Amino acid sequence: MSTIPSANRRLLATSLAALTCAALFAPLHAQTTPDAATSDTSQQISAGPPVSAWRQSLSDPYLSALIEKALTDDNDLTCAVERLRTQDEQDRRGRQQLGARIERLFGKDDTAETEAARNARIERIALRRVRLSQRVALAYLEVRRLQRRVGQRKDLVDQYRDNAEIAEFRRQAGLVPAIDGAVARTQDNTARAELDDDQVRLTDAIDALAGLVNEDAAALAAQVGSTAAFPPWTPAASATAPSSDALLSNEIDKARRTVRDARTAYREGAGSMASLYVAEAAALALEQALVDRQARALADDIRHQDAQDPAWARQGLEPVIATPPEKRSHASAKSPLVVTASRCD
């Protein structure tokens, strides 16, 4: 049985209730954006977006700039980080106002629960960063891949037209059957249609990339230019990548020599248009296969490196460490939060 008189017990209960209400409701007058004076920290938020390991291995500053722009301009990411910082400030103020004495009286410590909730928010932000940076990189690789294909087909336009003219001339001279002219015209028309199709795909790929980085599609098309080059980068995900490239390159060299021989033979009347058609189609297929294989290898390596080391996406999300109370001025410790403009709900 308690030895505290009933009057004293009532007084103690009233005091604790008043103190608890003051601690719980005091922050309600403040808004959620910290004033510069009240958010004094010993650990500053990173100035720019984080950089992944595979971005550091690239030698393509334009792609790196596109990814940085996407991460910076993404409204969902910006708001998620803002909400994280707001919650950090609210938690810090709550701990200061409640105080260790009340925590001891009530025997409640929600530090672990708060930390778990914060870690969950960080993981959501990190996952969005990883996915967005990957989407930009893969969209960029698709643009470069299609540029390569368009370039390859353009290089053959004059060649196929020349084939058709020679075939028609030889047909009229009675040197070859009519089928040669038909095959040459089919080759020329098919090549032009495939070139148009790849150009449409390239336009769509540029539009998709522009949407990811919040850029005008026409401006982006001018920026990417017509240089059909992949980033100078050796993929780490597949140890067989260099040998695979070498094998394909050797086959391409052989196919090109076959094309030269077949073209010479046809011009001299020693070969058929069908043989030349097959040789040129085989050489083009090998060249495009090499481009596609390189694009897949780069894309796989990006996914592989992020899966192995996703820690880069958590950079800049560390808890803000408040300056010890004894180093704060009395005025700044009690100054209210102020409202600032925000594009977040």
Side-chain angles (χ1 to χ4, degrees), residues 62-75:
Y62 184 63
L63 172 56
S64 185
L66 288 177
I67 295 174
E68 183 169 346
K69 187 177 188 303
L71 292 174
T72 301
D73 291 354
D74 187 82
N75 190 64

Side-chain angles (χ1 to χ4, degrees), residues 81-334:
V81 175
E82 181 178 316
R83 286 191 291 269
L84 179 69
R85 293 307 178 197
T86 296
Q87 189 62 51
D88 283 348
E89 183 65 15
Q90 290 177 337
D91 292 343
R92 182 187 66 80
R93 285 176 168 269
R95 287 192 297 269
Q96 285 182 339
Q97 292 172 348
L98 190 60
R101 180 176 300 177
I102 299 301
E103 290 182 6
R104 286 196 300 269
L105 285 172
F106 286 100
K108 180 181 180 182
D109 183 3
D110 60 353
T111 302
E113 181 180 345
T114 300
E115 185 67 19
R118 188 182 195 283
N119 288 337
R121 288 193 293 270
I122 288 176
E123 289 306 310
R124 288 193 293 270
I125 295 173
L127 181 60
R128 183 169 182 84
R129 283 176 169 176
V130 168
R131 288 177 174 174
L132 180 57
S133 63
Q134 283 187 6
R135 289 175 65 195
V136 173
L138 298 181
Y140 179 80
L141 290 178
E142 178 65 3
V143 168
R144 292 305 189 197
R145 184 186 75 86
L146 289 169
Q147 283 182 323
R148 294 274 295 272
R149 290 177 65 93
V150 168
Q152 288 169 335
R153 293 193 183 282
K154 282 183 176 179
D155 290 342
L156 295 173
V157 168
D158 292 340
Q159 178 178 309
Y160 291 161
R161 183 173 59 245
D162 187 49
N163 290 346
E165 291 175 353
I166 293 175
E168 180 60 21
F169 173 78
R170 298 191 68 197
R171 184 194 67 80
Q172 292 178 359
L175 299 175
V176 296
I179 188 65
D180 274 29
V183 169
R185 287 193 301 273
T186 298
Q187 181 188 49
D188 186 30
N189 292 334
T190 301
R192 291 177 183 277
E194 290 174 337
L195 173 59
D196 290 342
D197 188 45
D198 277 346
Q199 286 177 323
V200 170
R201 292 179 182 177
L202 175 58
T203 299
D204 291 343
I206 291 175
D207 288 345
L209 178 59
L212 288 173
V213 300
N214 192 30
E215 181 66 85
D216 177 72
L220 183 65
Q223 292 169 15
V224 298
S226 57
T227 302
F230 289 128
W233 176 27
T234 301
S238 174
T240 61
S243 61
S244 298
D245 282 356
L247 289 173
L248 264 179
S249 296
N250 288 335
E251 292 301 318
I252 289 171
D253 289 340
K254 294 177 182 178
R256 287 172 177 169
R257 287 196 296 270
T258 301
V259 169
R260 288 194 296 269
D261 293 342
R263 186 176 296 116
T264 299
Y266 185 72
R267 287 174 179 271
E268 295 177 352
S272 67
M273 173 54 66
S275 298
L276 177 58
Y277 184 105
V278 171
E280 289 176 332
L284 177 60
L286 287 171
E287 290 172 351
Q288 292 183 336
L290 178 60
V291 169
D292 292 345
R293 203 215 66 78
Q294 290 173 339
R296 284 195 301 271
L298 289 169
D300 290 345
D301 200 56
I302 288 173
R303 300 187 186 97
H304 172 79
Q305 291 199 42
D306 271 339
Q308 294 296 314
D309 183 23
W312 69 268
R314 303 185 189 95
Q315 294 174 13
L317 302 178
E318 298 82 2
V320 175
I321 304 171
T323 303
E326 62 271 14
K327 294 186 179 181
R328 290 178 176 271
S329 66
H330 181 73
S332 65
K334 292 187 176 182

